[in-house]
Amino acid sequence: MHYERIIKRAFQVTWRHKALWIFGIVAALFGGMRGGSGNGQGVQYALNSGDMGQLQSFAPWLSRGDWQRLVPMVLGLLALMAIVGVIMLIVNIIVRYTSLGALIGMVGEIEEKGETRFKSGLQTGWNRLLRLFAINLIIGLATGVIVIVLLLLLGVVAAAGAIPAALMISAGRTLRVLGIIVAIVAGLIVLLLMFLVFAALSALVTLVHEFSFRACVLERLGVFAALSAGIELVRGRLREGILFWLLLLGIDIALSLAAVPLVLLGLGGALVSGLVAFGLTESVGVGFLVGLPIVVVIVLASIFVGGLYLTFRSAAWTLAFRDLRGTAEPAGVTHLI
């Protein structure tokens, strides 16, 4: 694989074809909707007797103990939230996988025809979105099963190291220090094994995922045919795939390290500006309004840069797939699920 040439070409494709940016930014934005949940330690408030009195004055039927009216309201609110959640999930799936499919198809079109259009990318992504979603779902379920099995195996290894250490510690003062050393060494070995195993799993899953997506879009394969093609490509070109994954991982880390101080500097500027405005006006609202635009600019800039980088990564994986695949099947051949 020509690693340096692929990276340079991915950068050129990303920079020259601005139509790709739209799908990259949209995919990054909707992909971010999957972010982790909070830690459950946000704003908390406890009702007291005064609050209950205000609530009863607002809804007099509560003071009469007429709670049967509240149950339908709560159930209706929960049903509405569920419906909105399902709609948002469907929209997220449609927009995200259409955008990812469009990015892959447009880069393939650029390499074959020298140009691409927004309309052709939209059409390609729309036609492939359900298959891409199904591929991602199957890989996710399989990965979940593998993770559970690996955790159980690592638990057995940890127990095998912990039992002798516990026996030594409880045997007496002479073996206590040795038992503690054995426990520490066993714990470090388990942590190292866990890191290595899950790093390898992450690399393999990423390779199968990226290659299967491209087999589906570029070669118009069905779900299981694309998965089979991705797995076969990983098996046949594992060394090159792992090296390319490590290369992109290094770029990820470098850009993340460069972005952190910039984001912190921007947030610090927003905080200082807000505090200065508050000190001059003694108004919390004014301080908030002064600092808010800076935060909004940081968020928008992060989304934009994240979208460009997602476009670059997608282009790089597409070019790597084309390089590794070599004798790919004709694009006109269609396989059903």
Side-chain angles (χ1 to χ4, degrees), residues 276-294:
V276 170
F278 173 74
L280 294 176
T281 62
E282 296 185 354
S283 171
V284 176
V286 173
F288 178 77
L289 291 176
V290 170
L292 181 61
I294 301 178

Side-chain angles (χ1 to χ4, degrees), residues 16-82:
R16 292 177 182 175
H17 299 273
K18 305 300 189 293
L20 293 168
W21 295 9
I22 300 173
F23 292 109
I25 292 171
V26 170
L29 180 61
F30 278 80
M33 292 174 64
R34 295 181 175 185
S37 59
N39 57 11
Q41 298 179 355
V43 178
Q44 298 181 1
Y45 186 78
L47 290 174
N48 54 35
S49 58
D51 296 321
M52 291 303 297
Q54 295 177 3
L55 182 60
Q56 290 176 358
S57 63
F58 177 75
W61 46 270
L62 287 178
S63 61
R64 300 194 302 267
D66 192 5
W67 296 97
Q68 285 135 0
R69 297 187 184 181
L70 181 62
V71 173
M73 291 175 58
V74 172
L75 293 177
L77 180 60
L78 291 176
L80 178 62
M81 292 173 61

Side-chain angles (χ1 to χ4, degrees), residues 241-307:
I242 292 294
L243 289 176
F244 192 73
W245 176 80
L246 289 173
L247 177 60
L248 290 183
L249 179 62
I251 296 175
D252 290 346
I253 295 174
L255 291 180
S256 297
L257 292 176
V260 168
L262 295 177
V263 173
L264 292 178
L265 182 63
L267 293 177
L271 179 61
V272 171
S273 300
L275 291 176
V276 170
F278 173 74
L280 294 176
T281 62
E282 296 185 354
S283 171
V284 176
V286 173
F288 178 77
L289 291 176
V290 170
L292 181 61
I294 301 178
V295 176
V296 172
V297 170
I298 294 172
V299 172
L300 294 178
S302 299
I303 294 173
F304 179 74
V305 174

Side-chain angles (χ1 to χ4, degrees), residues 38 47 68 82 93 107 112 128 130 135 138 145 153 190 198 210 216 221-222 224 241 252 260 286 316 319:
L47 290 174
Q68 285 135 0
I93 291 172
V107 172
E112 293 177 1
R128 296 278 111 185
L130 290 179
I135 291 171
I138 293 172
V145 173
L153 292 176
V190 170
F198 283 103
E210 299 294 348
C216 177
L221 299 179
F224 297 108
D252 290 346
V260 168
V286 173
L319 295 172

Side-chain angles (χ1 to χ4, degrees), residues 215-232:
C216 177
V217 176
L218 299 179
E219 300 176 7
R220 302 189 65 81
L221 299 179
V223 174
F224 297 108
L227 283 169
S228 178
I231 293 172
E232 288 299 322

